[in-house]
Amino acid sequence: MADTPKNPERHHTFLPKDKKSSKDFHSTPNLDELEKGPWPSFVTGLKRLAMEEKFGNMVVDLLGQLEHSYNTRLGYWKGGTVSVFGYGGGIIPRFTELMGPDHKPLFPECKEFHTIRVQPPAGNHYTTGMLRQLSESWSKWGSGLVAFHGQTGNIMFIGTDTENTQHFFDDINAYGWDLGGAGPCVRTGMSCIGAARCEQSCANEMKIHRLLVNNFIDDMHRPALPYKFKFKVSGCPNDCMNSIQRADMAIIGTWRDDMKVNQEEVKSFVADKGRKYVIDNVITRCPTNALSLGDDDTLSVDNRNCVRCMHCINVMTKALSVGDDKGVTILIGGKRTLKIGDLMGTVLVPFMKLETEEDYEKLTELAEEIIDFWAENGLEHERCGEMIDRIGLVNFLEGIGVDVDPNMIASARQSSYVRMDTWEEEADKWNQRKAG
Amino acid sequence: MSDTPRFPIESGCPDGFQYLHPSMKKNFGAWAYHERPRPGVLRHVAKSGDEIWSVRLGTQRQLGPYEINLLCDIADKFGDGYIHFTIRSNMEICVSDPAKVEPLIAAIEEAGYPVGGTGPSVTMISHTQGWLHCDIPGTDASGVVKALMDELYEDFVTEKMPNRVHITTSCCQINCGGQGDIAINIQHTKPPKINHDLVANACERPSVVARCPVAAIRPAMVNGKPSLEVDEKKCICCGACFPPCPPMQINDSEFTKLAIWVGGKHSNARSKPMFHKLVAAGVPNNPPRWPEAAAIVKTILEAYRKDALDWERTGDWVERIGWPRFFELTELPFTKFHVDNWKGARHSLNASAHIRF
């Protein structure tokens, strides 16, 4: 450790003097390197756990296997099948593949090292009491090691054997926690801090998050879909939850009336920062040139051309804010690389009002249509976005009963190689929709 | 297991409202504006005039009971007892009394945790499980992140970047770490090595064949047993066949390399959301400190810090100055591998006479 802590008993580098686990530490010169430097070290954390009486030997061997990975630059875990009674998923089973010459595990104490995925509260809010209670249960039935949070949003309780998996789940399930998803199923959702602390929130993120996920709870606990399906909710187009790139169905808060401008605050911002700063950092950064600074230091906004990108509101937090007519934009089909490359979510519903219970019901129904259609038509291991890539957006829209909208495209068709026998019918549909 | 199995209570996602700080509960949906009084601290003011101060700290993401109790003790003694986690595994302790902010920061720093990660800083790296727990990793994740955050510590506790910098690491090409302003990802460079003795027992062969994005995998009989073969000329070394068929080993102690990507962002602010693009590859996967990858990341960060305008994300910056200038400023080699040749590649080529000299 670089510096001697001033209060070793209350410091992240603290190691207890007594080692209660019975197994001796393996030599870990590579991992020891990661105890140096100013950033808190997970290796020191693992060593502390390895000194505990219960599960200490498991973590001693985990450190041994991890060091072996650092030496050989290869991983040694394989999956398997472990679940709790009544569920089909939610556990990430891990069995060691690292065998000695006698074909027995080289690090036997961690030959089983499963992770339990648990859904965090919407918005990732905790009380210290809740955190301590979860941590205590995990120290009782598992290694004690918890990741806040995995990339899908779950609390990851890392490291226990098959039997204790059930005990831990029984424990925490009794006081209000439930498993997340793993495998081909609806996955744990994520939502930003939103209306709880952010003035830019245009939606009740926690409500949307819980409504969608809990509506599909059977599809989460009993994996039977083509592949994973993720919901993520962001309260504004800053998209702090990265829903557009990481969620099959992204819900992003927005508004459709005029952005709010407090001209007195604009003036004081200009007085404080200077006209050049405001022109260079606000006016010219508007992607649609919708802003103009008046000679009297007031701001005018061409709201018809504002694309609600959030930049000016992010810079002038006191002077500018989102409008009153709030709702959400819904995008479909975002995902990570495997297998046809990264896909960005595509606009499905440009604006949906979420005020009444009927509005929320419409949102749930839309999600049901999408998941049903994809479950019927997606290939094995095919994400919803990949299916849309294969069958085309129009076929997908017809499958789920949503009309085309010019907000769905970045540009209109460029290829003339298309049959258009039903042009008149389609034009009529548009005219009728416009009229009705 | 117990003798009489207990049916689960399928309660789903817990309501976060019950764990909200009282000020967040009271002012839910009624906030007016926010400021950043100093790096690592946010001050939100409600329409009611109430305030909430959030102190953000970096964690090692993997926490044990000692760390959880240490941080909860601080939140109880110096804060109001409420904790919020960000998507990048930073912890936030929120208080409504401004007088509590300085003592809270002092206690966090005394315990050895950095306060920062707000605004134009390099915030905590979002990452995957790596060798600690994943079944297909080409590298570690917690270790790469620890090594890099040691190097970038100053950039976490200060706000000296043009705009926020999100770094991600991914220990295979599935890219669970996500899009980043800078992404450090595994890039396999050799086709999988097949253990034909195990394929018939361990793999569902049709689904492995279907998984290959370039149709390079075919069923074959090898040594009289059903197995698979790979057309190595076609293979793009993506590793998609490995998860359903572990005998097709893609990871290699030497040929599993790192690649660095730049310019991903999910925010709609200014430009539309963007995917990150390849800038460097062939970087050795070199534990425990990954010095070669760290050096490239620092070079890119320094060029970005010096050259980008305020509020430009790395992607916005490169779009403005152009890719030739990016390679000039970072002195990274430009190769044929930077020219995309996947579906739709023409859209990424320069179909104009727009050239900077």
Side-chain angles (χ1 to χ4, degrees):
Chain A
M1 273 141 254
D3 302 305
T4 315
K6 288 175 213 151
N7 55 342
E9 297 299 314
R10 305 291 311 121
H11 193 277
H12 75 105
T13 56
F14 166 73
L15 274 180
K17 288 192 183 71
D18 295 338
K19 184 170 172 302
K20 292 180 189 149
S21 52
S22 56
K23 191 159 188 166
D24 288 339
F25 274 114
H26 304 283
S27 161
T28 54
N30 278 299
L31 295 177
D32 297 349
E33 278 296 313
L34 290 172
E35 292 195 274
K36 297 172 183 163
W39 194 262
S41 172
F42 73 104
V43 174
T44 311
L46 287 175
K47 285 188 177 173
R48 266 195 297 267
L49 289 171
M51 295 171 94
E52 297 283 325
E53 190 175 354
K54 217 173 170 189
F55 300 102
N57 288 348
M58 180 188 254
V59 184
V60 167
D61 271 6
L62 175 77
L63 282 160
Q65 176 163 327
L66 192 56
E67 176 71 18
H68 194 81
S69 281
Y70 271 64
N71 278 322
T72 57
R73 303 179 188 198
L74 290 170
Y76 297 98
W77 299 110
K78 65 177 174 188
T81 315
V82 175
S83 59
V84 297
F85 180 76
Y87 285 0
I91 315 288
I92 312 292
R94 287 293 176 254
F95 299 91
T96 187
E97 277 191 309
L98 193 53
M99 301 297 165
D102 57 355
H103 303 289
K104 287 186 180 151
L106 211 50
F107 297 100
E109 299 285 343
C110 70
K111 67 174 195 262
E112 291 188 12
F113 197 70
H114 314 319
T115 279
I116 298 163
R117 285 186 171 174
V118 173
Q119 293 190 64
N124 287 346
H125 302 282
Y126 299 85
T127 58
T128 51
M130 233 30 268
L131 279 178
R132 289 186 216 263
Q133 192 179 12
L134 285 170
S135 173
E136 265 169 41
S137 291
W138 186 235
S139 294
K140 199 168 153 199
W141 303 114
S143 73
L145 192 66
V146 196
F148 291 100
H149 299 85
Q151 294 298 304
T152 300
N154 295 286
I155 319 170
M156 309 283 269
F157 293 87
I158 308 168
T160 196
D161 56 23
T162 306
E163 188 181 336
N164 283 309
T165 297
Q166 182 72 48
H167 292 312
F168 172 72
F169 174 69
D170 286 344
D171 212 8
I172 63 161
N173 187 235
Y175 59 80
W177 301 81
D178 200 358
L179 291 194
C185 64
V186 168
R187 294 289 183 89
T188 295
M190 290 173 94
S191 49
C192 67
I193 194 162
R197 197 193 60 191
C198 183
E199 75 275 12
Q200 296 168 348
S201 162
C202 298
N204 186 339
E205 302 80 4
M206 289 203 277
K207 180 167 177 168
I208 299 168
H209 173 171
R210 294 186 68 236
L211 183 83
L212 288 173
V213 166
N214 292 353
N215 187 62
F216 293 97
I217 205 71
D218 188 47
D219 287 308
M220 180 179 291
H221 292 144
R222 292 158 196 94
L225 295 172
Y227 197 19
K228 63 183 86 163
F229 194 96
K230 299 184 180 185
F231 294 108
K232 293 192 198 299
V233 188
S234 283
C236 83
N238 280 321
D239 194 7
C240 289
M241 278 301 108
N242 199 353
S243 64
I244 198 163
Q245 289 164 339
R246 308 199 67 133
D248 298 272
M249 187 166 167
I251 320 290
I252 300 180
T254 190
W255 69 98
R256 62 182 169 185
D257 58 343
D258 292 354
M259 177 207 301
K260 289 201 215 166
V261 184
N262 180 331
Q263 297 294 0
E264 286 313 304
E265 290 292 349
V266 172
K267 281 182 196 165
S268 78
F269 189 86
V270 178
D272 184 33
K273 297 277 192 180
R275 286 182 69 81
K276 181 176 161 54
Y277 180 92
V278 178
I279 289 164
D280 287 352
N281 289 285
V282 183
I283 309 298
T284 60
R285 294 290 157 75
C286 173
T288 53
N289 299 326
L291 300 176
S292 168
L293 187 65
D295 289 338
D296 57 352
D297 290 350
T298 60
L299 187 77
S300 52
V301 183
D302 172 8
N303 277 290
R304 289 283 290 160
N305 281 313
C306 169
V307 288
R308 286 131 182 93
C309 87
M310 297 301 295
H311 173 73
C312 59
I313 298 177
N314 290 341
V315 180
M316 301 170 75
T317 56
K318 251 179 158 170
L320 306 178
S321 49
V322 303
D324 287 321
D325 189 11
K326 294 168 184 171
V328 296
T329 298
I330 300 170
L331 300 98
I332 188 80
K335 61 170 279 287
R336 303 245 46 78
T337 311
L338 191 70
K339 74 173 196 187
I340 65 165
D342 299 55
L343 298 178
M344 201 77 79
T346 299
V347 169
L348 180 66
V349 179
F351 189 84
M352 184 185 267
K353 195 82 188 154
L354 285 180
E355 239 167 31
T356 63
E357 287 311 308
E358 289 76 50
D359 294 338
Y360 282 100
E361 217 167 278
K362 257 170 57 188
L363 176 69
T364 319
E365 280 165 13
L366 178 68
E368 282 170 356
E369 286 287 342
I370 291 166
I371 289 180
D372 284 353
F373 180 81
W374 167 65
E376 285 284 316
N377 295 283
L379 304 175
E380 187 198 320
H381 211 264
E382 186 177 55
R383 295 284 287 270
C384 187
E386 288 170 328
M387 178 193 69
I388 296 171
D389 205 64
R390 178 169 55 83
I391 67 174
L393 181 66
V394 170
N395 282 331
F396 173 71
L397 295 175
E398 285 174 356
I400 62 165
V402 170
D403 291 324
V404 289
D405 185 297
N407 286 299
M408 290 172 181
I409 58 167
S411 82
R413 169 183 289 278
Q414 295 179 41
S415 164
S416 63
Y417 287 175
V418 58
R419 269 186 73 156
M420 294 196 274
D421 338 26
T422 55
W423 171 268
E424 295 296 334
E425 261 171 61
E426 296 301 319
D428 280 349
K429 279 187 199 164
W430 170 261
N431 288 329
Q432 274 165 22
R433 281 217 313 276
K434 227 169 68 176
Chain B
M1 299 213 191
S2 53
D3 297 325
T4 45
R6 173 191 160 283
F7 277 93
I9 305 160
E10 297 194 51
S11 51
C13 171
D15 188 356
F17 211 78
Q18 61 188 320
Y19 306 126
L20 284 188
H21 187 283
S23 178
M24 292 193 201
K25 245 186 219 172
K26 184 186 160 204
N27 300 293
F28 191 85
W31 294 94
Y33 66 95
H34 78 276
E35 299 173 333
R36 296 194 318 276
R38 56 151 277 177
V41 178
L42 305 169
R43 172 178 175 256
H44 286 82
V45 180
K47 288 173 185 163
S48 67
D50 291 354
E51 293 180 355
I52 194 158
W53 297 67
S54 308
V55 179
R56 185 177 291 179
L57 58 135
T59 71
Q60 57 271 69
R61 187 172 91 145
Q62 266 89 232
L63 305 175
Y66 178 84
E67 296 86 350
I68 290 172
N69 284 323
L70 172 63
L71 292 164
C72 284
D73 284 349
I74 292 171
D76 283 338
K77 190 170 173 194
F78 299 95
D80 298 342
Y82 295 87
I83 281 168
H84 170 252
F85 283 97
T86 72
I87 189 176
R88 312 191 83 77
S89 299
N90 295 306
M91 187 186 264
E92 288 179 342
I93 302 175
C94 301
V95 295
S96 41
D97 176 3
K100 286 184 171 176
V101 174
E102 284 307 320
L104 179 58
I105 293 171
I108 293 166
E109 288 178 343
E110 181 74 2
Y113 285 86
V115 170
T118 50
S121 66
V122 178
T123 190
M124 170 65 171
I125 299 172
S126 76
H127 70 91
T128 51
Q129 294 282 27
W131 289 327
L132 181 72
H133 204 265
C134 186
D135 58 342
I136 51 177
T139 188
D140 200 25
S142 316
V144 177
V145 169
K146 158 67 181 158
L148 266 154
M149 288 314 291
D150 279 342
E151 303 267 344
L152 304 174
Y153 190 87
E154 273 310 298
D155 296 311
F156 180 86
V157 298
T158 56
E159 293 183 346
K160 290 183 180 162
M161 288 290 159
N163 198 345
R164 70 194 64 224
V165 180
H166 287 170
I167 302 182
T168 67
T169 68
S170 287
C171 36
C172 79
Q173 282 176 228
I174 294 174
N175 196 202
C176 298
Q179 289 285 329
D181 289 284
I182 302 177
I184 304 143
N185 294 350
I186 279 291
Q187 189 79 28
H188 302 299
T189 63
K190 295 274 187 223
K193 281 181 272 189
I194 309 181
N195 183 340
H196 292 287
D197 292 337
L198 298 177
V199 169
N201 298 331
C203 312
E204 208 182 311
R205 283 169 297 138
S207 66
V208 182
V209 171
R211 195 81 67 95
C212 179
V214 290
I217 302 176
R218 289 186 295 259
M221 291 293 281
V222 182
N223 305 327
K225 280 186 189 166
S227 187
L228 295 164
E229 65 181 11
V230 174
D231 181 341
E232 299 206 347
K233 278 197 180 123
K234 270 191 187 173
C235 177
I236 49 165
C237 314
C238 71
C241 52
F242 177 63
C245 188
M248 300 185 76
Q249 183 60 256
I250 187 79
N251 287 318
D252 184 281
S253 57
E254 188 187 345
F255 298 116
T256 293
K257 305 274 193 182
L258 302 179
I260 315 253
W261 305 67
V262 160
K265 74 165 186 115
H266 46 88
S267 172
N268 288 268
R270 300 164 303 281
S271 50
K272 287 183 177 179
M274 286 185 255
F275 289 132
H276 54 225
K277 285 104 184 164
L278 176 74
V279 295
V283 185
N285 180 19
N286 206 355
R289 286 260 160 208
W290 293 269
E292 299 85 356
I296 296 172
V297 167
K298 286 171 85 170
T299 301
I300 295 166
L301 279 173
E302 196 50 23
Y304 165 67
R305 195 184 59 76
K306 278 192 191 147
D307 196 64
L309 303 175
D310 282 350
W311 296 98
E312 273 181 337
R313 294 283 290 268
T314 55
D316 299 325
W317 165 57
V318 181
E319 293 279 295
R320 178 174 58 82
I321 65 170
W323 285 100
R325 183 86 75 239
F326 172 86
F327 285 98
E328 188 188 310
L329 289 173
T330 55
E331 295 179 10
L332 293 167
F334 183 81
T335 70
K336 69 175 185 179
F337 298 108
H338 292 100
V339 182
D340 203 350
N341 62 355
W342 185 243
K343 263 197 281 185
R346 290 294 290 259
H347 293 293
S348 67
L349 306 182
N350 182 9
S352 76
H354 290 194
I355 311 277
R356 292 173 175 84
F357 295 104

